[in-house]
């Protein structure tokens, strides 16, 4: 797209240069013709040759300036048109994704409700059986029951994520200083990464001596965002390499009037194939082995960031890596 | 103030038989044996009409056929403004909690809940010392 744009600019500049050349050549030809006309007719009586030349020359200059201005104006308009077209395409993709999320969310919410209801007997009564087996001294059956309870707990975790994705889980928010909550959330997630993965954090916000920046945060949700993101980045690099986290003040892409804190998480992994980029936030879509991921990591991040009032943007180059940009709107301390 | 469990009457309204059995089991573990069961809001109201002023607590699901838990709560509140009413539901969203609060629910617990959470909730509502 960028290359095509540059080529178009080159041709436009060539056209302007050619136009000026034609105008100058036409002027020279015209002066010859004018001299001839001046000598052989009497229409110029009362005018000096210089005066007539000056008049014609002024008219031609004015015409040329006007033409150049118009060409430049058309060029500006074309630029704006291309930009509007690009924005429209991006919005269309985002709208389709949003509608898809709503439909999937509705399905996921219905399923999660039914499963949560059905799990009540296991969660509610399982503890009694576990207790009874422990007291009876039946070690084997106690271990079996413990496995059942652990598995139930794991399922509950998955359903909780589904409910978060479906925006059915209510979250409480508080305005917290990003410089305090972010290092905590990153440390919490970094601790569980393999030692072969290095996380570089560079806080580079252009504020007055790192003055506090408040964002509305649900602590658990915020920790989960970074836990999922860093695990995802690590897996994309086969658990080997560096993840760079940087901050910047920006505006939310879809709401340019809203100032946000942008957190960029960059990995040097395998990158995301353009064909599947539109699916990475779909629930249960995963490129990992079935035992390694539930396909709920990125959808949960997407939903959680959205519930924090922000958005998630992905830029990826296959073979080079991926940058996930998470936008969190900045709020006043008192506004929660 | 000690609560006599033998005089504690609970109406359990739940359409799913397995969930009903599970909640009944938890109530029994707490020492409550007078448990009446209803499978929907309409049957619960019928029981209330036939046995006025005997209940200590209603434990009720939200999504049920005929009459939902919230519909039952609204009807119950007209005749029994202070009767403890515990909503047990898989609805964990803020809007649902607000709807129940506005209908004057006494307690709200999201499924699936552990025995410990349920015991704490019921004990608080019935003022049973833990």
């Amino acid at each position: 797209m960028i290359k095509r744009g540059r080529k178009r600019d080159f041709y436009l500049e060539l056209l302007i240069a050619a136009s000026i050349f034609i105008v100058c050549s036409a002027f020279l030809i015209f002066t010859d013709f004018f001299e001839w006309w001046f000598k052989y007719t009497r229409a110029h009586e009362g005018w000096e040759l210089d005066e007539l030349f000056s008049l014609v020359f002024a008219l031609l200059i004015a015409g040329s300036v006007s033409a150049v201005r118009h060409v430049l104006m058309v060029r500006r308009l074309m630029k704006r048109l291309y930009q509007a077209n690009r924005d429209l395409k991006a919005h269309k993709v985002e709208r389709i994704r949003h509608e898809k999320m709503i439909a999937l969310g509705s399905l996921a919410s219905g399923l999660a409700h039914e499963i949560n209801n059905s799990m009540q007997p296991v969660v509610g009564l399982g503890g009694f059986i576990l207790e009874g087996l422990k007291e009876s001294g039946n070690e084997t059956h106690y271990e079996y029951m413990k496995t059942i309870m652990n598995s139930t707990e794991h399922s509950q975790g998955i359903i909780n994520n589904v409910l978060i994705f479906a925006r059915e889980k209510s979250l409480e928010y508080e305005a917290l200083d990003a410089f305090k909550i972010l290092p905590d959330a990153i440390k919490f997630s970094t601790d569980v990464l393999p030692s072969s993965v290095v996380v570089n954090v560079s806080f580079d916000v252009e504020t007055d001596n790192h003055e506090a920046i408040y964002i509305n945060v649900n602590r658990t949700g915020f920790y989960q965002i970074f836990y999922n993101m860093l695990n995802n980045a690590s897996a994309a690099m086969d658990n080997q390499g560096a993840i760079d986290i940087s901050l910047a003040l920006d505006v939310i892409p879809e709401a340019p009037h809203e100032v946000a804190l942008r957190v960029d998480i960059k990995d040097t992994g395998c990158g995301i194939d353009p064909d599947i980029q539109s699916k990475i936030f779909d629930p249960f879509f995963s490129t990992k082995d079935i035992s390694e991921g539930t396909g709920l990591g990125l959808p949960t991040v997407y939903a959680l960031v959205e519930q924090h009032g922000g958005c998630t943007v992905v830029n990826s180059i296959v073979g080079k890596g991926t940058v996930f940009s998470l936008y969190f709107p900045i709020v006043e301390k008192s506004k929660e | 103030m000690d609560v006599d469990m033998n005089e504690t009457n609970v109406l359990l309204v739940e359409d799913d038989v397995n969930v009903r059995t599970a909640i009944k089991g938890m109530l029994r573990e707490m020492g409550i044996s007078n448990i009446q069961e209803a499978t929907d809001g309409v049957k619960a109201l019928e029981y209330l009409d036939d046995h006025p002023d005997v209940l200590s607590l209603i434990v009720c699901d939200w999504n049920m056929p005929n009459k939902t838990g919230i519909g039952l709560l609204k009807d119950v509140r007209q005749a029994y403004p202070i009767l403890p009413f515990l909503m047990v539901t898989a609805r964990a969203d803020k809007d649902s909690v607000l709807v129940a609060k506005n209908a004057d629910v006494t307690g709200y617990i999201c499924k699936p809940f552990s025995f410990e959470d349920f015991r704490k909730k019921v004990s608080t509502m019935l003022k049973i010392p833990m």
Side-chain angles (χ1 to χ4, degrees):
Chain A
M1 197 70 183
I2 294 166
K3 276 183 183 172
R4 278 174 63 190
R6 278 182 187 164
K7 208 171 177 185
R8 200 181 297 118
D9 287 352
F10 170 74
Y11 283 127
L12 203 63
E13 274 158 23
L14 203 68
L15 186 74
I16 294 170
S19 305
I20 292 169
F21 176 75
I22 289 166
V23 167
C24 291
S25 305
F27 175 71
L28 290 173
I29 293 164
F30 180 77
T31 47
D32 284 347
F33 175 74
F34 191 77
E35 216 172 341
W36 173 83
W37 172 80
F38 190 82
K39 280 178 187 165
Y40 292 96
T41 67
R42 295 175 61 81
H44 57 273
E45 277 181 0
W47 288 79
E48 288 296 322
L49 184 62
D50 290 353
E51 284 172 354
L52 279 169
F53 260 133
S54 301
L55 179 69
V56 172
F57 189 71
L59 284 171
L60 280 171
I61 291 287
S64 302
V65 169
S66 171
V68 169
R69 277 186 63 197
H70 273 84
V71 168
L72 288 175
M73 194 178 75
V74 168
R75 192 180 161 181
R76 266 201 308 274
L77 283 173
M78 289 297 276
K79 258 189 183 170
R80 271 198 232 163
L81 201 64
Y82 286 128
Q83 186 58 43
N85 195 26
R86 271 196 297 271
D87 290 349
L88 204 65
K89 273 183 188 165
H91 273 97
K92 195 179 166 193
V93 169
E94 191 50 42
R95 191 173 53 79
I96 290 169
R97 175 182 290 166
H98 192 70
E99 281 170 6
K100 201 161 73 176
M101 288 288 176
I102 290 171
L104 281 167
S106 167
L107 176 74
S109 155
L111 271 173
H113 275 122
E114 287 306 312
I115 295 168
N116 266 345
N117 205 52
S118 304
M119 283 209 329
Q120 183 56 59
V122 188
V123 176
L125 301 179
F128 299 139
I129 301 170
L130 197 68
E131 197 77 6
L133 288 169
K134 196 178 181 183
E135 281 168 13
S136 71
N138 188 337
E139 282 286 323
T140 315
H141 285 179
Y142 173 74
E143 285 304 320
Y144 289 169
M145 193 59 204
K146 222 170 146 185
T147 309
I148 292 173
M149 294 305 281
N150 287 342
S151 184
T152 307
E153 205 174 305
H154 177 67
S155 308
Q156 265 182 281
I158 294 174
I159 292 163
N160 270 339
N161 283 342
V162 169
L163 285 173
I164 287 170
F165 164 75
R167 284 78 167 157
E168 287 285 321
K169 193 98 182 158
S170 297
L171 303 174
E172 299 291 332
Y173 296 89
E174 53 185 324
L176 295 174
D177 180 6
F179 287 115
K180 286 186 179 149
I181 183 79
L182 257 171
D184 288 351
I186 293 166
K187 190 182 178 311
F188 167 79
S189 314
T190 310
D191 286 350
V192 294
L193 291 179
S195 54
S196 47
V197 174
V198 182
V199 178
N200 302 315
V201 182
S202 62
F203 288 168
D204 192 22
V205 179
E206 292 168 14
T207 52
D208 304 332
N209 300 323
H210 283 199
E211 199 180 291
I213 291 179
Y214 290 98
I215 51 176
N216 268 344
V217 167
N218 169 272
R219 231 174 242 274
T220 316
F222 199 73
Y223 276 47
Q224 194 172 357
I225 291 170
F226 287 92
Y227 181 85
N228 288 5
M229 283 312 311
L230 294 183
N231 267 295
N232 207 67
S234 173
M237 304 189 300
D238 284 332
N239 296 321
Q240 222 152 22
I243 301 168
D244 295 327
I245 301 176
S246 58
L247 304 184
L249 284 175
D250 204 338
V251 289
I252 292 183
E254 284 186 27
H257 57 280
E258 203 165 352
V259 182
L261 180 71
R262 194 185 78 222
V263 185
D264 290 333
I265 300 163
K266 186 181 166 199
D267 66 55
T268 48
C270 51
I272 306 164
D273 197 300
D275 291 342
I276 61 162
Q277 273 194 25
S278 62
K279 293 178 187 164
I280 58 166
F281 296 117
D282 290 356
F284 305 112
F285 175 82
S286 180
T287 53
K288 295 179 195 165
D289 189 82
I290 197 143
S291 60
E292 287 174 26
T294 56
L296 281 170
L298 285 179
T300 307
V301 167
Y302 188 88
L304 278 170
V305 174
E306 201 177 81
Q307 285 185 65
H308 277 76
C311 68
T312 310
V313 175
V314 57
N315 282 300
S316 184
I317 300 170
V318 176
K320 286 200 169 175
T322 305
V323 182
F324 281 95
S325 300
L326 314 177
Y327 292 79
F328 298 96
I330 290 167
V331 295
E332 301 283 324
K333 172 75 180 96
S334 54
K335 196 177 149 191
E336 289 184 15
Chain B
M1 189 181 70
D2 283 344
V3 177
D4 187 355
M5 289 301 195
N6 291 325
E7 289 189 9
T8 302
N9 294 301
V10 177
L11 173 61
L12 173 58
V13 194
E14 167 68 65
D15 60 328
D16 187 317
V17 63
N18 295 322
V19 179
R20 209 164 59 233
T21 309
I23 297 175
K24 200 162 71 176
M26 287 194 259
L27 286 167
R28 282 196 176 138
E29 286 287 330
M30 288 182 69
I32 299 169
S33 52
N34 298 329
I35 305 160
Q36 306 303 321
E37 295 174 46
T39 51
D40 61 52
V42 173
K43 289 195 177 83
L45 278 179
E46 281 169 12
Y47 178 82
L48 276 166
D49 286 342
D50 296 341
H51 306 83
D53 300 318
V54 298
L55 288 178
S56 321
L57 168 72
I58 296 178
V59 178
C60 182
D61 182 25
W62 186 309
N63 289 349
M64 288 182 297
N66 300 325
K67 190 181 272 291
T68 62
I70 207 76
L72 174 66
L73 173 60
K74 283 174 184 166
D75 289 347
V76 165
R77 280 289 168 256
Q78 286 178 9
Y80 305 93
I82 55 161
L83 175 62
F85 193 109
L86 175 62
M87 188 70 83
V88 287
T89 175
R91 292 171 180 244
D93 60 302
K94 201 182 268 177
D95 291 345
S96 299
V97 178
L98 273 177
V99 168
K101 261 190 184 170
N102 290 338
D104 205 13
V105 76
T106 326
Y108 194 100
I109 189 163
C110 291
K111 288 177 189 170
F113 45 82
S114 66
F115 173 61
E116 271 314 298
D117 290 342
F118 182 72
R119 191 174 63 86
K120 276 182 201 158
K121 210 81 173 176
V122 173
S123 300
T124 312
M125 288 169 76
L126 292 176
K127 297 185 176 66
I128 301 169
M130 288 195 284

